[in-house]
Amino acid sequence: MEFERKLAQWRDEGFIDQTAVDRIKAFEKGQPQKKKIPLLLLIGLIFFALAVFSFIAANWQAIPELLKVAMVLGLMWLFYVIAYFSEKKHFGQPILFRLLGLAMFGASILVTAQTFHFSLSNSVLPWAIFIAALAHYFQWRHLAYVLVIFVFGIFTLTSFLPNTNWVEWGIFIAISFAWFHFSKDDAPKILSWMLLFFSGLLMWDLVSYSSPFWPIWTLFALVLLLFLVPTGKQKLLSPLYLIFGAVMLIVYLALRGETEMSLVDLNWPESIALAAAGLGVLFLAYTRFRDIIWISILGAMGFLLFDDTAIALALVAEVSALAYLIISQRQNRPLAPGFVYFILVHFVIYVIYAWERLDMSLFFLIGALLLFALSAAAWWLNRKREGAAS
């Protein structure tokens, strides 16, 4: 046995003595052993389940409506009961049975809606699935429930359309914020942050004021969340702000350069307000959250979009990409995100300005030469700094 071989090796090397070996073996023997389901029994159960579901599927139309709902609910409780005994008797995977039970709960919601002709849009049915997934997470704290919550959260958000109202939007914000605030692990922090961001995009449907800057306003508003999380979690969330900010800048560049974006949705008062918000984010980032200082560039978007040639926006995107690479290199940070951002910006600029005027290989050769020149300059400056220090 590998475990006993390791103990013998540690004993022979002098890390532990024979008394410690005996105590470890006695402790391990006293631990409850996980019971395994016999393979043939497991295969038989799988075939039995397939037979039952095949029979139900073949006769689904002939089954009375209320019996359909009762059958799905019965399966739900069956899986939860199996999960309970699986955890108590140490066999199988309780998490798997609970996920199946949660799936049956969702199926019961859909069957009920279909049976009684309920609409899933602007109803409590998507909410029931979303809240049930949240209850599973806070009860058992498993990553699988985090993913389920996120999927059902997106489903609940889309169910608001096309007639979103303030009450359900506010309740969703409150629930997502509570999930963000009371979660201690990394995955729920990230996914709840994303739910809060996506809920901000519903402003296009929620209010009558048409603005192309709702994503930017949402990202700026989410900066306030960083005051509520410890420093360690700020390091976790900072890449989200940078990724979403970079995607926004690239999307705005593509839209401004490749489409006839109407200036009706652009106005000077909002552009000035957005610039003021960008300066506020710049101040907060410089004094408290230095890692996200790059997103303050988005505050100038209101002014940049007035240029229908998109040249100013392209210059901002290109310069910010190069500056991010240079600063990351000087601070010994990972360069991969900066290179990806630079390549995407470079490709969008090529599509906008050089698709029919310049060969793609020549365009990217120019970008490569530019990067090589910057790398050589950074290397030279680094050598000069090290020489001065020595």
Side-chain angles (χ1 to χ4, degrees):
M1 185 178 179
E2 180 66 18
F3 176 68
E4 293 182 354
R5 188 186 68 80
K6 281 289 185 182
L7 286 178
Q9 182 181 4
W10 295 338
R11 181 194 59 199
D12 295 339
E13 294 293 334
F15 296 124
I16 56 177
D17 55 18
Q18 185 60 42
T19 302
V21 172
D22 296 337
R23 291 177 60 189
I24 292 174
K25 288 183 177 180
F27 174 79
E28 289 297 327
K29 287 181 179 179
Q31 297 302 306
Q33 298 295 320
K34 191 172 183 178
K35 299 178 181 178
K36 295 182 179 180
I37 301 176
L39 180 60
L40 291 178
L41 177 60
L42 182 61
I43 295 176
L45 290 174
I46 292 174
F47 275 98
F48 178 77
L50 290 174
V52 172
F53 281 107
S54 298
F55 176 79
I56 294 174
N59 298 276
W60 184 255
Q61 298 299 329
I63 299 175
E65 303 294 343
L66 292 177
L67 184 57
K68 293 179 182 179
V69 179
M71 287 174 58
V72 179
L73 288 175
L75 287 172
M76 178 190 74
W77 285 111
L78 174 64
F79 285 124
Y80 281 122
V81 170
I82 295 175
Y84 174 79
F85 285 105
S86 173
E87 188 174 45
K88 290 295 183 182
K89 302 299 181 181
H90 304 287
F91 71 88
Q93 297 292 332
I95 178 66
L96 177 60
F97 295 121
R98 291 195 184 102
L99 285 175
L100 289 172
L102 184 59
M104 289 299 103
F105 176 74
S108 67
I109 294 293
L110 296 176
V111 171
T112 303
Q114 181 184 24
T115 299
F116 298 101
H117 306 289
F118 293 150
S119 173
L120 291 178
S121 179
N122 299 106
S123 72
V124 298
L125 300 181
W127 283 102
I129 306 174
F130 180 47
I131 294 174
L134 279 168
H136 279 68
Y137 169 72
F138 283 106
Q139 177 65 30
W140 289 291
R141 301 281 182 174
H142 196 279
L143 177 61
Y145 301 126
V146 176
L147 300 177
V148 173
I149 293 170
F150 181 72
V151 172
F152 285 160
I154 295 297
F155 178 65
T156 305
L157 268 181
T158 55
S159 71
F160 296 165
L161 302 172
N163 299 310
T164 308
N165 63 68
W166 286 101
V167 174
E168 59 187 2
W169 182 80
I171 294 174
F172 185 88
I173 291 289
I175 293 176
S176 299
F177 175 77
W179 186 32
F180 175 88
H181 183 65
F182 293 108
S183 297
K184 305 302 180 183
D185 298 328
D186 293 348
K189 283 286 186 186
I190 292 173
L191 295 183
S192 58
W193 186 95
M194 293 175 66
L195 285 182
L196 288 171
F197 176 81
F198 292 141
S199 63
L201 302 184
L202 287 185
M203 285 296 181
W204 273 313
D205 182 64
L206 189 62
V207 298
S208 58
Y209 177 71
S210 179
S211 170
F213 303 124
W214 289 125
I216 300 178
W217 286 116
T218 302
L219 189 64
F220 283 175
L222 291 180
V223 172
L224 300 177
L225 288 180
L226 294 177
F227 286 100
L228 305 177
V229 297
T231 304
K233 297 301 181 182
Q234 292 176 10
K235 298 293 184 180
L236 170 72
L237 297 175
S238 295
L240 288 176
Y241 291 88
L242 298 181
I243 292 171
F244 278 71
V247 170
M248 284 184 209
L249 195 149
I250 292 173
V251 170
Y252 282 118
L253 174 61
L255 290 176
R256 177 77 278 185
E258 283 295 297
T259 63
E260 294 296 331
M261 178 181 286
S262 175
L263 294 179
V264 175
D265 296 333
L266 303 175
N267 58 77
W268 286 106
E270 185 180 15
S271 299
I272 295 172
L274 189 65
L279 291 175
V281 170
L282 177 63
F283 174 77
L284 288 177
Y286 185 78
T287 55
R288 294 289 300 272
F289 317 117
R290 193 70 62 88
D291 290 339
I292 66 167
I293 197 170
W294 296 96
I295 68 171
S296 60
I297 297 173
L298 296 172
M301 194 63 64
F303 299 131
L304 295 174
L305 290 183
F306 277 100
D307 176 19
D308 56 1
T309 64
I311 293 177
L313 184 53
L315 287 175
V316 169
E318 185 86 354
V319 170
S320 64
L322 293 174
Y324 182 86
L325 280 173
I326 294 172
I327 294 175
S328 297
Q329 192 275 335
R330 293 188 63 183
Q331 296 177 348
N332 294 321
R333 294 189 176 188
L335 298 180
F339 274 110
V340 172
Y341 175 52
F342 176 82
I343 292 171
L344 291 176
V345 169
H346 217 56
F347 182 77
V348 172
I349 292 175
Y350 172 79
V351 172
I352 294 175
Y353 296 108
W355 187 270
E356 297 179 353
R357 305 182 185 93
L358 190 66
D359 184 78
M360 182 182 292
S361 59
L362 179 59
F363 184 79
F364 281 101
L365 176 61
I366 296 172
L369 293 175
L370 180 60
L371 282 177
F372 291 154
L374 289 172
S375 299
W379 174 81
W380 182 78
L381 291 174
N382 188 52
R383 286 289 300 273
K384 185 177 180 180
R385 185 170 62 251
E386 291 177 352
S390 62

